[in-house]
Amino acid sequence: MKEKFVIKPKTARSVTMTIRIDGETNDKLDELALKSNRSRNELINLSLRYAFENLEFIDEE
């Protein structure tokens, strides 16, 4: 009997967005991407994840 071709719903969701960063940040990001053999996108996602996991929000009402 032939194996079935199974397709499951995609669970990971990504969103495309445009951001503006200053030139110095872009240069540092490019340099790190070359050194680490990772994409700028991957480095930005890792950085954002780290920031969210380690931030402290102070609501000054």
Side-chain angles (χ1 to χ4, degrees):
M1 182 174 216
K2 293 185 179 181
E3 292 185 31
K4 295 189 181 224
F5 178 56
V6 178
I7 299 174
K8 295 181 181 180
K10 194 175 186 180
T11 57
R13 191 184 95 138
S14 67
V15 177
T16 301
M17 67 172 50
T18 302
I19 63 167
R20 287 182 173 79
I21 59 174
D22 61 52
E24 184 179 339
T25 301
N26 185 60
D27 293 344
K28 289 179 180 179
L29 188 57
D30 283 342
E31 181 181 334
L32 185 57
L34 285 171
K35 285 181 180 180
S36 66
N37 197 31
R38 295 179 183 265
S39 69
R40 288 184 294 180
N41 182 66
E42 186 177 5
L43 292 173
I44 290 167
N45 275 285
L46 289 169
S47 299
L48 287 171
R49 190 172 301 121
Y50 177 83
F52 289 138
E53 290 172 357
N54 293 283
L55 71 80
E56 178 181 349
F57 180 78
I58 300 172
D59 190 9
E60 296 180 4
E61 290 185 17

